[in-house]
Each structure stands twice: as C-alpha cells, then as structure tokens.
Amino acid sequence: MKKDIFIIGSGFSALAASCYLAKEGNTVTVFEKNSTIGGRARQLKKEGFTFDIGPTWYWMPDVFERFFNDFGKKPSDYYELIKLSPAYQVYFGIQDFVTIADNLKDIIKTFESIEKGSGAVLERFMSEAKSNYDIAIKNLVYRPGVSPLELITPETALKVGQFFSNISKEVRKRFKNQKLVQILEFPVLFLGAKPQDTPAFYSFMNFADFGMGTWHPKNGMYSVILAMEALANELGVKIQTNSNVEKIIVKQKKAVGIKVNGEEKFCDVVLSGADYHHSETLLDIEHRAYSESYWEKKTFAPSSLLFYVGFDKKIEKVEHHTLFFDVSFDKHAEAIYDNPAWPEEPLFYASFPSKTDDSAAPTGKEAGIFLIPLAPGIDDTEEIREKYFNIIINRFEKLTEQSVKENVIFKESYCVNDFIKDYNSYKGNAYGMANTLFQTAFLRPKLKSKKVENLFFTGQLTVPGPGVPPSLISGKLASELIQKNSTKR
C-alpha cells in the first residue's frame, strides 16, 4: 500500500530512507531545518577553500556500494573515489611518528619493525577481525534491533566471549608496544566509547581500517550527500530546506502529520532522522517512549571542537589524515567519559584534504581541519575555543617542526553550542550514542515508536549506531520497518 511519508532531517540516514521509500512507490517529502541538506555532513566554503563540516573519513566502501547497488547504481555513477596512500599518519612526538600504509602487507611490515614478532600477531588478529567484519557488516547490522534473537546465529555463538571481553584487553594481550596499542585502539573511537568499554567483537573496525583502506571522495564527503540527493530526486523525493519541524501531530495514538514553520501538514507516516532525543520533544509527554532520566543514563559519543583553517602556504610533514597522540590517551578519555571537563592536554586530529584534492584550497594554499574530541554538554565559549586553538597549533608546530601560526588566513570554529543550534543535538554530541555492550543492537532506542503508531526513527542514536556507513544502514532498516508496520490514515 503506497503511503504519504514525511521525513524530518536530511542527513545520511534520512536521505537513505527517502530513497528506499520512494523506490517502493511512496510519496516522500524531506523537511530540513537548515538552508542546505546533509545534516552533520554539510560543507563550508570560504575564500576559495572548501571544508567538510562533519565526517571526513570514508571507510567501509562496501556499505556505500551496497546502498547504491540497491538502486541499480554504483558510487562511481555519482562521484570519484581516491584511495589514500598512505592511509594516515600518527604522531607520538618530535620526529616520532608511524605511517599507516594503504595495504595490510606493508602495515604488517611496519608493525614488525616496531615490535619484533608483532607482524605475525597482527596477521592473525586481522584474520579474526575480518571474520567479525563478515558477520557484522554483511549480516548483523542489517537487522532492525527488534529482538535479542537477532544476535544469535551459528557464527556469533562461536564468538560469544568477544561480547564480554573488550578491545583494549584483547589488543594488549597481543601487543606490548604502546604505539601499536594506540593505533589498534584508534578505530573503535568511531563507535563513540573508550576501547575498554567496547566489546572485543568490534575489532571488525580494525579490518575496516587496515583491511579495506581509507578513501576520499573527490570534492569531499559532501559529494556523497549530493549523490544521494541526485538519487532521491531521480526517485521523485521532494526536499524542502529552511523547514523547521516544530511538532509531530498525534491523533488517537497515531502520527498523522507535522507542524513545520507554523503550518500543519498531514501524512500517513512520520520518520525522524533528526536527533532522537529532540524528535521525542516534538511529541507531547504522554507519547514519548523515553524519559529524560533514560537519556541522562546513556553513554553518548563525544562532541568535538573543530577548526576550519585556511593557510596561505602548503603544510609540510603531514598526511591527508594525521593524528596527534603525543599526550596521554587515558587522561583525555577520562575527561570525556568519566569526569566531563575540558582536557588539560588534548589529543587531536588534523585533516588536510588539499593534500589529495585540489578543489579544497586555492593553488599553493592548504585547507586544514582540526578536531579535539570532547565530553558532550560542557561549557563552550569563544574564549575557551581560542585557548584550545593556541594549545593545539603550538603543539602542531613543535611536533611537525614548522611555523604555521603566522600563515593562517582565517579560521572558523564549531563546537558544542553549534551542534545544539544546527542539529538539535543532545548535549551537543557529535556522533550519537556510543556502541557499548549495553547499547548495542536491540538495547538501543527503537526504530519504531513504542507508543505512537506510524512514527519511526533513524540515525546515529538508534540501530545500528554512530558513523556514516551505519547511518546508511539505519535508513534502510527504518524504511523496511515502515513498509512492514505502517498503515494509511
């Protein structure tokens, strides 16, 4: 039965869902509060520079391929992918860095050169990680989180111990060198929790890293959003920007429409791809499935302080993606998860897309994106932002042994207050809800409202979890539930 469906938000999950639902013949309209689509994956253009405001890592290319294949398309029909070589670089001190190659064979050699015997250990670890990837990404994550039985398969039965161990423990059992440990713990940060709180099964992220490589879509991650918009348009989806949804209209415990820019509009189904907590505030209290205390108790992925910087020269001694792990990882993690506060000595990440992509900066100049992970909900002021820019840029100059501060043409910042203002993000989180043991699969907020018929949710706070590939999958899962569980007015 064809339905009239309204979707709130235009991030990866919402756009994915819009495509699947339109393909089934439904009438689909997307309402986006901002002036441009993309949700967290918007773009900043300034003085000839182009920055991805949100995600900058393109991992798990197979998930993107599977999405476009569902419509008889390929990513290459819409954008060009460049495999980064090297994938990224990690600084531990002055003239002390590890470069991660674009293939596992060379990464094994790098490990062996740092810790004797670790090459063979890494090979075995990656074989296990690939097995987990095949189970998780090709199967488990495409299940809607309705029942715990979804997790029980012949394959997962053999790995049950990995759900009760953690990444940190498993990595440290195998590797002694602290640099190698940190490099192997790094990918699970995309899941939003500390390695010691992330089930060992999630080592599949290490296969996503070392086994599949790091990619860059030409013209930036926003190319993927534009590709999804083009596909949605081909399928007949209507997208309305500058359309702030103020209320989800419920009658007789059934979602029947939305109030947008002061006007009531009616439909058969409402799907929210906006922040889940915010989406529920659009409902009267009696229709909300989760209380404020529920959200308070959950472990949220970090927020971020980001800087988008235009430099008037090329930056040396860095790769497209460069991580700075020259200070204590544990202390920074404590400031995010245990005692929320601004970190005294922050780890940070820098991306220089113009190393790969000429469109990111004018000739002879460099576009730099700097990111510090932070606890959500902490104080955010211009003074604090400026203080932390100086902290990281001074460290950057020292570690890379070059002067760059005097070469800044401009810098724009983005932090907790902006995540709240632009995305109605709970406490200004940047990545959603963390994938800890008790926040996995059926234990996450549901795709289908437990209290309101014809109301559904998608995105990083529901299944399967944080990150761009999981968001694409979330849109597919939500669309399948809508086809199966919704009714016409």
Side-chain angles (χ1 to χ4, degrees):
M1 192 184 293
K2 311 306 180 194
K3 293 174 275 287
D4 192 5
I5 300 170
F6 288 171
I7 299 179
I8 304 170
S10 66
F12 283 106
S13 58
L15 288 177
S18 77
C19 293
Y20 285 111
L21 291 165
K23 182 188 174 191
E24 295 300 320
N26 299 294
T27 301
V28 181
T29 308
V30 172
F31 296 90
E32 168 56 54
K33 77 182 277 282
N34 293 309
S35 59
T36 56
I37 65 163
R40 285 166 166 79
R42 293 179 303 147
Q43 209 173 45
L44 168 66
K45 288 179 178 279
K46 183 168 181 175
E47 296 183 31
F49 293 82
T50 303
F51 306 88
D52 282 314
I53 291 178
T56 54
W57 292 76
Y58 191 106
W59 273 4
M60 304 185 191
D62 55 325
V63 175
F64 295 86
E65 285 162 17
R66 184 165 171 176
F67 169 75
F68 286 105
N69 287 346
D70 283 344
F71 303 92
K73 305 284 188 178
K74 308 186 294 292
S76 59
D77 293 332
Y78 298 98
Y79 56 89
E80 179 189 339
L81 268 185
I82 303 160
K83 191 173 189 185
L84 297 185
S85 181
Y88 56 92
Q89 183 179 52
V90 188
Y91 267 91
F92 295 97
I94 299 169
Q95 295 184 5
D96 180 9
F97 57 85
V98 176
T99 301
I100 301 300
D102 67 349
N103 66 89
L104 183 55
K105 187 178 170 188
D106 285 343
I107 296 169
I108 288 168
K109 286 180 189 170
T110 298
F111 269 55
E112 185 63 30
S113 71
I114 294 170
E115 181 182 315
K116 192 165 176 54
S118 68
V121 176
L122 179 63
E123 202 162 4
R124 290 193 296 274
F125 181 73
M126 290 304 297
S127 175
E128 191 176 278
K130 182 183 187 304
S131 167
N132 289 354
Y133 190 92
D134 289 341
I135 294 168
I137 304 303
K138 295 179 181 175
N139 186 357
L140 288 186
V141 294
Y142 285 92
R143 299 183 180 192
V146 173
S147 161
L149 297 177
E150 292 172 7
L151 294 178
I152 302 170
T153 69
E155 294 85 3
T156 56
L158 298 172
K159 294 176 179 280
V160 69
Q162 291 190 35
F163 287 94
F164 296 98
S165 183
N166 63 65
I167 285 286
S168 183
K169 190 190 232 176
E170 294 303 314
V171 166
R172 287 161 197 268
K173 263 196 321 202
R174 294 167 170 83
F175 303 91
K176 301 302 171 216
N177 184 277
Q178 194 57 31
K179 293 174 191 172
L180 301 185
V181 167
Q182 285 193 265
I183 289 167
L184 286 166
E185 287 182 342
F186 151 67
V188 302
L189 299 180
F190 285 101
L191 301 171
K194 291 192 291 189
Q196 51 266 51
D197 292 331
T198 303
F201 182 73
Y202 284 103
S203 66
F204 65 73
M205 291 297 291
N206 293 108
F207 179 73
D209 178 2
F210 290 176
M212 305 189 81
T214 303
W215 302 74
H216 172 78
K218 190 163 172 49
N219 301 320
M221 286 292 286
Y222 200 65
S223 294
V224 187
I225 290 292
L226 295 178
M228 296 176 76
E229 178 189 34
L231 177 59
N233 287 336
E234 291 166 33
L235 294 162
V237 176
K238 296 191 282 289
I239 299 175
Q240 297 184 14
T241 54
N242 298 307
S243 298
N244 184 38
V245 175
E246 298 147 354
K247 191 170 183 63
I248 296 170
I249 303 168
V250 177
K251 291 185 178 171
Q252 297 175 328
K253 296 185 178 179
K254 182 184 280 193
V256 296
I258 58 176
K259 185 177 181 183
V260 55
N261 292 346
E263 182 186 353
E264 291 189 345
K265 295 175 181 282
F266 296 93
C267 62
D268 298 313
V269 176
V270 175
L271 168 64
S272 182
D275 176 277
Y276 204 125
H277 170 269
H278 168 73
S279 300
E280 284 223 311
T281 68
L282 303 177
L283 296 161
D284 292 332
I285 289 175
E286 66 268 24
H287 297 135
R288 298 174 192 173
Y290 303 101
S291 66
E292 283 299 317
S293 64
Y294 169 88
W295 298 110
E296 278 291 334
K297 290 172 187 165
K298 293 299 166 188
T299 301
F300 273 79
S303 186
S304 299
L305 169 56
L306 291 133
F307 295 101
Y308 311 101
V309 186
F311 293 98
D312 68 7
K313 69 172 185 178
K314 301 305 284 183
I315 306 298
E316 298 173 358
K317 299 183 182 178
V318 290
E319 299 296 341
H320 182 127
H321 293 304
T322 306
L323 305 163
F324 294 86
F325 285 179
D326 56 306
V327 296
S328 169
F329 179 94
D330 290 337
K331 280 187 182 173
H332 190 147
E334 189 180 313
I336 295 174
Y337 297 104
D338 303 330
N339 302 300
W342 282 86
E344 286 182 25
E345 293 185 304
L347 293 98
F348 65 99
Y349 150 69
S351 173
F352 300 94
S354 42
K355 293 276 173 201
T356 304
D357 193 336
D358 290 341
S359 70
T363 305
K365 298 178 181 178
E366 201 88 85
I369 301 167
F370 296 82
L371 181 152
I372 303 172
L374 298 171
I378 59 175
D379 287 341
D380 170 20
T381 66
E382 287 302 321
E383 292 75 21
I384 294 173
R385 295 186 190 194
E386 191 63 24
K387 173 187 170 183
Y388 276 83
F389 180 75
N390 287 322
I391 288 172
I392 63 170
I393 211 71
N394 288 338
R395 287 232 317 274
F396 180 88
E397 288 188 328
K398 183 179 173 186
L399 291 163
T400 64
E401 300 179 290
Q402 64 189 310
S403 170
V404 299
K405 207 186 295 183
E406 302 306 314
N407 300 97
V408 172
I409 304 168
F410 65 85
K411 71 173 189 294
E412 299 280 344
S413 65
Y414 202 93
C415 197
V416 172
N417 293 344
D418 301 299
F419 282 103
I420 294 169
K421 177 174 67 75
D422 289 347
Y423 312 127
N424 297 304
S425 167
Y426 182 70
K427 292 188 176 180
N429 80 82
Y431 310 107
M433 188 184 285
N435 259 339
T436 60
L437 178 61
F438 295 108
Q439 294 182 177
T440 292
F442 68 97
L443 296 170
R444 295 179 73 79
K446 301 298 182 192
L447 291 163
K448 183 179 187 296
S449 171
K450 294 187 277 188
K451 290 196 172 183
V452 179
E453 196 180 335
N454 290 353
L455 175 60
F456 299 82
F457 302 88
T458 187
Q460 301 186 107
L461 270 68
T462 181
V463 290
V468 176
S471 292
L472 293 179
I473 295 166
S474 186
K476 180 182 174 84
L477 295 175
S479 69
E480 289 171 346
L481 276 186
I482 288 170
Q483 286 298 114
K484 186 177 169 186
N485 291 296
S486 59
T487 58
K488 281 185 76 72
R489 273 173 288 172

